[in-house]
Amino acid sequence: MTGVKILGVGKCVPEGRLTNDDLAKIVDTNDEWIVSRTGISSRRIAAGEPTFHLAAEASKQALERAGLKGEDIGLIIATSITPDYYTPSVACMVQREIGATGSMTIDVNCACSGFVYGFDMAKRYLQTDDSLKYVLVVSAEELSKITDYKDRSTCILFGDGAAAVVVERKEDTLYSSYLGADGNGAQFLMARNVLGKNPLGREETVIDEKMPEGNGPYLYQDGKEVYRFATRVLPMVTKECCQKAGIEPGDIDVIVPHQANFRIIETAAKNLKLPMDKFFLNLSEYGNTSSASIPIAFCEAIEKGKVKSGDKVCFVGFGAGLTYAGVIFEY
Ligand code: UT7
């Protein structure tokens, strides 16, 4: 199989910590409820720095660890649901910051599945374009921008952060992916753009019938529906990736899942008949950082020696859309 070799991984998370006790001062909640229902203890929250800044810092670290310079990168794939601008893209802002002038730049919005979609796109570009040597995939989110800190059912979940990987093509290596979406579940997890006001004074037709009125730009979530979806697709996607790769789930060395909720991952582990120590988790410290959660966790897993050269690694994500995505590769 043609796959990818990871040359460098980097991350950047804001300094500011928001603990469960901090949140208990803002909304009617407590540490015990949050930890027992989600596994989250604290999250990092940006203090004014833009999303693209986190993306650029994570990218610089990944480049340095890869022993490359910005100008070596031929394609930047950035993923975010919380960019600073409608336009230009996060990828263009990162390109400017790292000096990758002339590279292709693409932004991907697949919510929490974004990094896995971007990683698989990188592999496909590398496989079909011989002139392309190195691709940077960077995921950066500031969920604090679209979190309603009056809504206790969502504000306990989300945090900010970014991470990046630099990859090149690798022949004769393990690689499989399984990606998809179910737009019928779109209304279970949404955040609205500004309502359109055109010069003819026509009001935009609003289709988000489930979202409470006056929700503004904040994330709306039907937690139970998303929970049901997540516990179904996590094992399904992992099994599909294994089948395509010709391996069994037990052959995977490390699974890096989307860091949404400890209970979701525990349920998936049971379904897959795998021990929890196959899964790398850091959600206790960072909460759910949407598309950045898998690469932040992957970066930490490498730093802590939990992922070693030659390991079979599985990334598996799910999120708004509703989207799902998995890849298996050899590190
Ligand atoms: O990347 C995005 C993916 N999103 C997810 O993965 C989220 C998936 N869903 C979940 O993780 C869970 O549904 C939540 C953690 C969001 C909620 O957990 P739950 O076990 O489904 O709780 P619930 O919504 O059924 O609420 C149970 C009770 C309710 O009270 P009543 O109606 O039983 O009296 C809530 O009002 O807990 C209450 N509650 C809270 N209590 C204290 C809801 N949020 C809180 C809170 N603190 N923060």
Side-chain angles (χ1 to χ4, degrees):
M1 296 172 214
T2 301
V4 291
K5 183 173 168 54
I6 296 190
L7 302 172
V9 183
K11 73 176 194 303
C12 176
V13 292
E15 300 249 307
R17 258 176 222 276
L18 187 67
T19 66
N20 291 350
D21 289 337
D22 294 331
L23 283 168
K25 290 179 195 145
I26 310 174
V27 289
D28 181 14
T29 190
N30 56 74
D31 180 61
E32 197 276 326
W33 192 97
I34 303 171
V35 171
S36 63
R37 299 284 178 130
T38 70
I40 300 167
S41 295
S42 71
R43 343 65 210 118
R44 301 299 184 91
I45 301 291
E49 66 268 46
T51 303
F52 82 78
H53 177 83
L54 301 182
E57 291 307 306
S59 301
K60 285 177 197 166
Q61 190 177 59
L63 279 168
E64 197 189 313
R65 289 175 174 175
L68 294 172
K69 296 205 163 17
E71 65 217 42
D72 299 320
I73 298 295
L75 166 63
I76 300 172
I77 300 172
T79 81
S80 188
I81 56 165
T82 48
D84 306 294
Y85 310 109
Y86 284 121
T87 189
S89 64
V90 178
C92 279
M93 297 304 288
V94 169
Q95 190 207 53
R96 188 182 76 166
E97 297 299 306
I98 65 170
T101 314
S103 64
M104 294 182 278
T105 54
I106 308 171
D107 269 19
V108 169
N109 178 343
C110 297
C112 307
S113 309
F115 176 75
V116 186
Y117 265 83
F119 190 82
D120 193 57
M121 279 170 72
K123 180 258 180 186
R124 288 167 195 269
Y125 263 95
L126 284 164
Q127 195 174 354
T128 54
D129 182 349
D130 284 342
S131 67
L132 184 61
K133 276 206 82 157
Y134 305 112
V135 179
L136 172 74
V137 185
V138 54
S139 299
E141 303 283 4
E142 292 186 356
L143 275 300
S144 58
K145 286 178 182 171
I146 55 168
T147 297
D148 181 357
Y149 287 98
K150 291 193 190 78
D151 176 6
R152 69 176 181 170
S153 71
T154 53
C155 74
I156 55 156
L157 301 172
F158 300 109
D160 302 341
V165 300
V166 177
V167 296
E168 69 176 356
R169 182 188 309 108
K170 188 178 175 192
E171 301 298 343
D172 304 320
T173 186
L174 183 76
Y175 189 92
S176 73
S177 63
Y178 185 80
L179 315 173
D182 177 7
N184 292 315
Q187 73 274 18
F188 297 135
L189 186 46
M190 319 182 101
R192 225 198 180 284
N193 248 326
V194 289
L195 274 169
K197 276 190 212 130
N198 73 27
L200 300 177
R202 294 208 182 112
E203 284 197 7
E204 189 181 338
T205 312
V206 181
I207 52 137
D208 27 71
E209 67 279 338
K210 275 202 82 186
M211 200 183 286
E213 249 193 69
N215 195 68
Y218 298 123
L219 264 173
Y220 162 78
Q221 174 174 256
D222 182 331
K224 285 204 184 310
E225 286 288 353
V226 178
Y227 193 94
R228 254 194 290 276
F229 171 74
T231 49
R232 181 172 62 81
V233 297
L234 268 192
M236 182 271 282
V237 171
T238 309
K239 284 176 195 165
E240 292 284 350
C241 285
C242 283
Q243 201 185 5
K244 282 175 138 186
I247 63 171
E248 294 296 324
D251 297 330
I252 302 170
D253 294 297
V254 184
I255 300 179
V256 185
H258 173 42
Q259 310 281 312
N261 184 324
F262 181 79
R263 289 189 297 139
I264 291 174
I265 296 159
E266 225 175 20
T267 307
K270 272 193 199 124
N271 182 306
L272 290 162
K273 299 188 177 60
L274 293 177
M276 277 302 278
D277 62 11
K278 282 253 187 211
F279 293 77
F280 184 82
L281 300 181
N282 65 358
L283 60 89
S284 164
E285 205 184 328
Y286 300 109
N288 178 345
T289 56
S290 191
S291 70
S293 92
I294 290 176
I296 291 174
F298 180 53
C299 187
E300 277 204 1
I302 294 168
E303 287 166 356
K304 291 183 172 170
K306 301 282 185 195
V307 173
K308 295 176 286 301
S309 180
D311 275 355
K312 293 182 187 67
V313 178
C314 174
F315 294 151
V316 56
F318 61 89
L322 298 167
T323 56
Y324 48 85
V327 297
I328 288 177
F329 64 98
E330 202 172 88
Y331 177 63

